Amino acid sequence: MSMFGFGRPQPSSAEKIAAAEQEMDLVTDMFNKLTKACLTKCVPTDYREGELNKGESTCIDRCAAKFFDVQMKISEILQAEAAAKGAGGGGGAAGGLGFGGM
């Protein structure tokens, strides 16, 4: 902890492992959603060839790009909302630290 009490305690090894496992679960879930959405849209269920044809490959490429664009936009919106809630609920925090009268 810092001398002014602003420092956060460092996470333990178990907390770090739990955070890494949670992140891995999120990445795996996103990959599974991407695979399901794009394969359902772009690849017919009756496989005719062992390899993707040009149309299927192009469709999957575009689908994946759009999927990640949408995920980024959603993430930005959620982060902005979280920041707005944090800024709105945190007003007056400096006054509670004893620096307001200086």
Side-chain angles (χ1 to χ4, degrees):
M1 192 180 263
S2 73
M3 65 186 241
F4 293 113
F6 296 125
R8 286 195 270 165
Q10 295 297 317
S12 68
S13 293
E15 291 171 331
K16 289 179 184 178
I17 290 170
E21 287 175 345
Q22 183 180 16
E23 185 174 354
M24 187 65 173
D25 288 343
L26 290 172
V27 170
T28 302
D29 185 50
M30 183 182 289
F31 175 79
N32 289 337
K33 287 179 182 178
L34 167 72
T35 302
K36 183 178 179 183
C38 292
L39 287 180
T40 301
K41 178 181 178 184
C42 299
V43 181
T45 56
D46 57 334
Y47 299 109
R48 296 185 191 111
E49 304 169 9
E51 301 290 325
L52 293 174
N53 65 36
K54 185 172 177 80
E56 293 166 342
S57 181
T58 301
C59 179
I60 289 174
D61 185 46
R62 289 179 181 163
C63 180
K66 288 178 184 178
F67 184 89
F68 284 116
D69 284 345
V70 169
Q71 293 298 317
M72 289 300 295
K73 287 178 183 174
I74 290 171
S75 177
E76 289 169 2
I77 290 169
L78 291 176
Q79 287 177 359
E81 287 179 0
K85 285 181 183 178
L97 295 175
F99 296 106
M102 294 183 138

